Amino acid sequence: MLEPFEYGFFVRGFIVAGLVGILCGLVGVYVVLRRMSYIGHGLSHAMIGGAVVSYVMAFNFYAGASIWGFLSALLINTIVRHRRAIGTDAAIGVITTAGFALGVAIISRYRTFTRNFEAALLGNLMGVAPQDVWAVTAMTLTALAIIILTYRRMLFLTFDPEVAAYYGVPTAWLDSLFALLLAGTLVVSMQLIGVTMLVGALVIPAVTARLLTDSFGRLLVLSGAIGTFNGLCGTYLSYFLDVSSGANVVLVGTVLFVLAYLWSGLRGRLGRLWGIEAH
Amino acid sequence: MLHPQPHPFVDEQPLIELRGATCGYGGHPAVEDVSLKIWPGEFVGILGPSGAGKTTVLRAILGGVKVYRGQVLIEGKPLGQRRMPIGYVPQLETVDWNFPITVEEVVLLGLASNKAWPWATRRERQRVYEMLERLGIAHLAQRHIRALSGGQQQRVFLARALVANPRLILLDEPTSGVDIKTRDDILHLLHQLNHQGATIMLTTHEINAVAAHLPRVVCINRTVIADGPPAQVFTPEILGRTYGARMVVIHHGGLVLVAERPHAGYEEHLVLQGEYDAGAV
Ligand SMILES: Nc1ncnc2c1ncn2[C@@H]1O[C@H](COP(=O)(O)OP(=O)(O)OP(=O)(O)O)[C@@H](O)[C@H]1O
Ligand SMILES: [Mg+2]
């Protein structure tokens, strides 16, 4: 049972999985409640372009992918603002697939790093390098600090953006801060989870927790815990099953989601049967 | 039960002043050339049909819409310099009822939303419970906002607006979708707050049940049609211009009663009745 922990690469991957789990679980709550899953999905794909370009140009991966993601978000915003006929979802579709396609094109042209590419797509435990541990740790601590220090304002903004502005919440500033938080989360989670699985790791803990509570505070804590569990459990199993870590994390999350779904239905029914209100 | 005569404290400077304000959305004006002065201590109702721009006027005061022409001043200063907190109760239709948030969490939002400290202090929590107690919904503090009746939902958002003790309270249709008892409770509470010095502005569709009990009514339909006490404002001519429909106004004792003029046939009869009663006052 403890055999995988004898390998340095596994321990590294395991630590990263726990941190990525907390990070995705917490940030995912805001992504779901702000209905930004599609933009998260798109951005993670677009970042492949940035990752590949920075690889080819021997540029720092994190910087390359983050800048690329940030520019993609800006471009989407510009298109939507200046060509109103194009909806946000369509603009996301164009910009992010273009970035993804560019990455794919460069990869098929060079063909030298298909292995890495597969890792970036599907996530790979072996792809986690020592510096990734530091990057994920730094990002998780930053995210925790932001979430704690802006807790009330971010909740107000997420629940009721119009009224939040009237009560003096700096909405534009917090929106940008959150966009950066999301981009950073996607970048540091990419290696382990893979871009195609990222949105699942981000969204599943939040929606699972949503089935179990109606309070925002409890939702945030629960989602972070579920994310951590999915990350650790998925990574651990991927060692034995020889399945990509990203797919495993998402599959564990899905099982938990189904259980929560069944439980919430059962609880509602039992509650009605006994005349107790379900909360 | 309602207090028809509050005591406006007349200052030299209005709390809110709109000077020929034209405001709207995306370049299209929704209200034009609105001029309005609200003095400290007043209790004002904004009346008008759907789409008249009632919400837009409240948003203009809160800084939530573009002001294309004219000016909006709070305590004599332009909107950008507002430091005074305003309690605001949005129209309930704008709330996301599926959002995971409890009654207590909603009311806490009204307190110190600028504070970095994420957890409520004991004093803040106590303040929230006092407010919920006062509104008779303390036992619902841990409920989800969807698991409440319309009247209870209205009180939750009222509590959020009141919890920070603002001097100015704006309410967008606080009495729509609630039963008669809740409506009277809410109006009673607002009159109480008004007597304690709060300035209150609300919008409403209800002429007889709400607007007629307020000391001052502003009729709006894309611009200000009339402004004054109900007895002066409620004339068939003004209400006709406000609603684009013909209305019958009946004065009875000190009360004003407005009825929509029904379909032809009854018309002659009602006009006579209306004029008879009006003459009798
Ligand atoms: N967010 C918005 N974007 C664009 N137009 C808007 C927006 N909100 C309101 N409008 C338009 O502005 C006008 C005035 O709307 P407003 O909401 O102020 O009316 P109202 O008097 O509050 O109506 P109701 O009684 O239905 O609430 C309407 O024509 C409406 O279509
Ligand atoms: Mg309105």
Side-chain angles (χ1 to χ4, degrees):
Chain A
M1 290 301 271
L2 294 176
E3 181 209 321
F5 292 100
E6 287 163 18
Y7 302 99
F9 82 89
F10 182 83
V11 173
R12 257 201 318 270
F14 197 70
I15 294 171
V16 169
L19 293 172
V20 163
I22 298 181
L23 190 59
C24 286
L26 294 177
V27 173
V29 167
Y30 297 94
V31 170
V32 168
L33 292 176
R34 302 180 70 160
R35 301 176 206 288
M36 286 172 74
S37 340
Y38 186 58
I39 196 163
H41 187 70
L43 278 188
S44 55
H45 280 74
M47 282 175 183
I48 275 283
V52 171
V53 168
S54 46
Y55 187 90
V56 170
M57 294 171 67
F59 193 64
N60 181 288
F61 159 80
Y62 290 112
S66 316
I67 292 170
W68 193 281
F70 190 66
L71 289 181
S72 304
L74 277 187
L75 252 142
I76 292 166
N77 210 15
T78 311
I79 291 183
V80 174
R81 198 159 292 170
H82 294 284
R83 299 283 182 277
R84 282 184 190 279
I86 301 176
T88 313
D89 54 342
I92 293 170
V94 173
I95 297 299
T96 59
T97 327
F100 186 64
L102 185 66
V104 172
I106 296 174
I107 284 161
S108 27
R109 189 91 182 78
Y110 289 82
R111 283 205 185 281
T112 46
F113 45 98
T114 33
R115 245 202 94 73
N116 274 319
F117 182 55
E118 198 187 298
L121 277 187
L122 302 173
N124 192 338
L125 203 54
M126 317 274 243
V128 177
Q131 77 260 27
D132 293 340
V133 181
W134 294 115
V136 175
T137 308
M139 190 61 220
T140 308
L141 290 177
T142 310
L144 276 173
I146 290 175
I147 287 172
I148 289 174
L149 293 179
T150 67
Y151 179 81
R152 292 196 198 181
R153 283 166 288 178
M154 202 67 107
L155 172 57
F156 208 160
L157 174 67
T158 311
F159 174 52
D160 201 347
E162 186 193 339
V163 180
Y166 303 156
Y167 275 74
V169 174
T171 50
W173 188 81
L174 281 180
D175 276 338
S176 317
L177 187 67
F178 182 73
L180 286 175
L181 187 60
L182 177 60
T185 301
L186 295 174
V187 170
V188 300
S189 312
M190 208 157 115
Q191 282 295 329
L192 186 82
I193 307 288
V195 293
T196 51
M197 302 291 163
L198 250 182
V199 79
L202 207 55
V203 167
I204 291 174
V207 296
T208 308
R210 180 67 186 92
L211 291 172
L212 303 174
T213 182
D214 276 335
S215 145
F216 182 83
R218 281 197 288 274
L219 177 71
L220 202 57
V221 173
L222 205 57
S223 179
I226 293 174
T228 315
F229 175 81
N230 293 348
L232 295 177
C233 194
T235 314
Y236 183 70
L237 289 178
S238 81
Y239 177 86
F240 294 101
L241 303 175
D242 198 23
V243 174
S244 91
S245 48
N248 243 337
V249 170
V250 170
L251 285 176
V252 170
T254 310
V255 170
L256 228 56
F257 171 77
V258 171
L259 290 178
Y261 184 87
L262 294 175
W263 163 248
S264 64
L266 193 69
R267 194 181 44 169
R269 200 153 306 165
L270 287 180
R272 268 193 298 281
L273 215 63
W274 293 332
I276 307 168
E277 289 162 84
H279 290 305
Chain B
M1 195 204 66
L2 297 172
H3 315 276
Q5 294 294 314
H7 318 286
F9 315 119
V10 179
D11 273 10
E12 306 94 55
Q13 178 176 274
L15 197 60
I16 303 168
E17 183 173 2
L18 280 79
R19 284 191 195 154
T22 296
C23 328
Y25 310 87
H28 303 285
V31 293
E32 291 177 88
D33 197 21
V34 173
S35 292
L36 202 60
K37 279 183 189 169
I38 309 287
W39 300 90
E42 277 202 291
F43 193 162
V44 183
I46 298 181
L47 194 67
S50 201
K54 301 184 294 295
T55 302
T56 306
V57 168
L58 296 187
R59 285 193 179 129
I61 295 167
L62 291 156
V65 284
K66 281 259 152 54
V67 180
Y68 302 124
R69 240 174 301 127
Q71 270 183 308
V72 179
L73 303 172
I74 309 283
E75 295 183 301
K77 289 189 284 282
L79 277 178
Q81 296 170 28
R82 166 164 80 86
R83 287 289 164 270
M84 177 183 68
I86 299 180
Y88 178 57
V89 182
Q91 221 166 323
L92 284 192
E93 291 95 274
T94 63
V95 174
D96 175 3
W97 295 105
N98 286 322
F99 196 95
I101 194 164
T102 61
V103 168
E104 186 187 13
E105 285 175 321
V106 169
V107 180
L108 268 169
L109 290 180
L111 269 183
S113 50
N114 284 309
K115 276 195 197 155
W117 193 243
W119 293 280
T121 63
R122 188 180 303 174
R123 281 214 9 239
E124 288 173 328
R125 217 172 277 279
Q126 203 177 339
R127 179 91 192 102
V128 166
Y129 270 85
E130 277 166 21
M131 204 64 241
L132 291 174
E133 200 78 62
R134 188 162 176 195
L135 290 166
I137 50 172
H139 59 294
L140 303 172
Q142 298 308 320
R143 283 261 186 113
H144 183 243
I145 50 170
R146 161 142 270 169
L148 302 171
S149 73
Q152 292 166 340
Q153 290 175 332
Q154 189 69 59
R155 287 167 210 233
V156 173
F157 286 86
L158 198 56
R160 180 179 74 178
L162 299 181
V163 73
N165 240 331
R167 282 171 54 213
L168 173 63
I169 305 161
L170 307 182
L171 307 99
D172 204 354
E173 298 190 19
T175 58
S176 64
V178 304
D179 64 15
I180 297 173
K181 166 125 186 9
T182 308
R183 181 189 71 203
D184 287 347
D185 284 353
I186 290 174
L187 285 176
H188 188 72
L189 177 81
L190 292 177
H191 276 282
Q192 263 181 357
L193 291 164
N194 180 237
H195 277 260
Q196 290 163 12
T199 308
I200 299 178
M201 248 176 119
L202 58 78
T203 69
T204 183
H205 280 290
E206 294 167 275
I207 304 177
N208 295 315
V210 182
H213 298 281
L214 303 178
R216 178 178 167 195
V217 176
V218 179
C219 290
I220 285 189
N221 194 345
R222 282 190 64 85
T223 188
V224 176
I225 307 281
D227 182 348
Q232 280 174 28
V233 166
F234 291 170
T235 67
E237 196 265 326
I238 289 173
L239 291 170
R241 277 202 289 146
T242 307
Y243 283 91
R246 306 224 274 163
M247 304 264 186
V248 183
V249 180
I250 302 158
H251 292 265
H252 184 78
L255 274 175
V256 198
L257 216 72
V258 179
E260 208 176 311
R261 184 178 286 181
H263 321 288
Y266 289 109
E267 222 169 65
E268 287 309 309
H269 174 69
L270 270 174
V271 170
L272 280 175
Q273 179 94 34
E275 277 163 4
Y276 170 75
D277 275 339
V281 170

